């Protein structure tokens, strides 16, 4: 993922960023504080952490990769938010070895559940980091989007294999260990005791439209962004989205 504030990258991140930004604004009003404490699990080089810090919030990024954390430090400095971002090496399994339990107003769990050994445990840990009133932003790979992409590329056997595979993988060469349906993600979230507020399909069309068309056709990028936003909330499109975003809150 790229910085959601960059126009071309916004095709991949606009839906999530808009939902997240609104959720943080609501949490600010509810908490009565201008700055929130935000945890970004698996936050890598700060694709979301830096924009969140630009809003004035304090962000702790947990990632297992030293290289990603080094890039995070550089990006935060370039953006002038180094004083509001703290990177620590760790993962979802050992989360409370590096961060405080129940210490955050919002937790981002983006691109994590696909890679952990136990998604339910990883999500429980993320939720455990929330304060009594807190917001969870969960983003994970969608099964239907992968099936559709393989089929449109002419890899019909791989598409069928992904559809039938319990983990949603199309073969041994598949770089994603696990994919989810919207129903699976919402069940995982509700099992933690959180209340699901919204589910959005992410990159419903963006990965299927030729990049040259978006880059060269006047107005195409803006029109596609508006189409993505309109389709994101429609349940009918969740089943073909490349990613699925779940926003949940603790009452």
């Amino acid at each position: 993922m790229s910085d959601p504030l960059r126009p071309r990258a916004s095709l991949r991140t606009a839906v999530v960023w808009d939902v997240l930004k609104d959720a943080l604004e609501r949490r600010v009003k509810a908490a009565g504080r201008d700055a929130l404490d935000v945890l970004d699990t698996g936050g890598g080089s700060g694709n979301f952490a830096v924009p969140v810090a630009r809003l004035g919030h304090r962000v702790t990024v947990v990632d297992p990769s030293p290289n990603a954390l080094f890039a995070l430090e550089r990006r935060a400095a370039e953006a002038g938010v180094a004083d509001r971002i703290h990177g620590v090496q760790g993962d979802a399994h050992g989360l409370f070895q590096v961060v405080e339990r129940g210490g955050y107003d919002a937790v981002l769990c983006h691109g994590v559940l696909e890679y952990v050994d136990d998604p339910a445990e990883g999500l429980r840990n993320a939720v455990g980091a929330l304060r009594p009133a807190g917001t969870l932003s969960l983003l994970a790979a969608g099964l239907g989007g992968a099936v559709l992409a393989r089929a449109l590329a002419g890899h019909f056997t791989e598409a069928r294999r992904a559809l039938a595979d319990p983990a949603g993988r199309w073969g041994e060469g598949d770089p994603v260990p696990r994919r989810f349906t919207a129903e699976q993600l919402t069940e995982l979230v509700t099992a933690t005791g959180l209340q699901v507020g919204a589910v959005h399909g992410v990159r419903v069309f963006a990965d299927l439209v030729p990049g040259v068309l978006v880059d060269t056709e006047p107005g195409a990028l803006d029109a596609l962004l508006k189409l993505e936003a309109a389709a994101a909330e429609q349940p009918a499109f969740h089943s073909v989205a490349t990613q699925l975003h779940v926003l949940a809150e603790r009452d």
Side-chain angles (χ1 to χ4, degrees):
M1 266 186 215
S2 298
D3 188 332
L5 300 183
R6 295 174 186 167
R8 187 66 177 85
S10 62
L11 273 176
R12 291 176 172 267
T13 60
V15 169
V16 179
W17 177 244
D18 288 345
V19 173
L20 177 60
K21 188 170 180 287
D22 288 345
L24 292 175
E25 289 176 356
R26 291 195 302 271
R27 185 54 56 197
V28 163
K29 293 178 181 178
R33 290 180 281 111
D34 291 335
L36 302 176
D37 294 305
V38 179
L39 174 65
D40 189 353
T41 63
S45 60
N47 297 325
F48 278 92
V50 168
V52 168
R54 283 188 186 133
L55 297 177
H57 305 304
R58 298 175 292 270
V59 187
T60 298
V61 176
V62 177
D63 197 278
S65 169
N67 290 336
L69 293 174
F70 178 76
L72 167 69
E73 184 177 349
R74 185 176 64 247
R75 178 181 286 185
E78 291 173 352
V81 294
D83 60 327
R84 293 197 291 273
I85 291 183
H86 175 56
V88 292
Q89 190 172 358
D91 55 29
H93 176 69
L95 188 62
F96 299 117
Q97 296 174 15
V98 294
V99 302
E100 177 187 359
R101 186 184 295 271
Y104 298 89
D105 300 294
V107 172
L108 280 57
C109 186
H110 295 174
V112 173
L113 296 193
E114 299 95 318
Y115 298 97
V116 296
D117 292 335
D118 186 341
E121 179 195 29
L123 188 58
R124 281 195 302 270
N125 284 348
V127 172
L130 284 172
R131 286 175 174 153
T135 298
L136 171 74
S137 175
L138 174 65
L139 182 67
L143 170 63
V147 173
L148 185 61
R150 300 316 288 174
L152 290 178
H155 304 300
F156 307 122
T157 299
E158 291 180 350
R160 183 167 55 84
R161 190 176 299 154
L163 196 59
D165 184 65
R169 304 186 76 233
W170 46 257
E172 293 184 2
D174 192 336
V176 180
R178 189 182 293 106
R179 295 184 178 87
F180 302 87
T181 64
E183 291 75 19
Q184 289 172 330
L185 285 181
T186 54
E187 286 175 7
L188 284 169
V189 171
T190 54
T192 68
L194 294 189
Q195 182 175 349
V196 174
V199 179
H200 293 85
V202 181
R203 289 155 57 188
V204 175
F205 307 104
D207 291 351
L208 305 177
V209 175
V212 64
L213 186 153
V214 177
D215 292 333
T216 60
E217 188 71 21
L221 176 60
D222 185 58
L224 183 53
L225 282 169
K226 291 178 180 177
L227 176 60
E228 287 280 354
E233 296 186 19
Q234 300 295 325
F237 289 101
H238 294 168
S239 59
V240 294
T242 298
Q243 293 177 309
L244 295 163
H245 183 247
V246 179
L247 188 74
E249 297 183 343
R250 177 175 282 161
D251 292 336

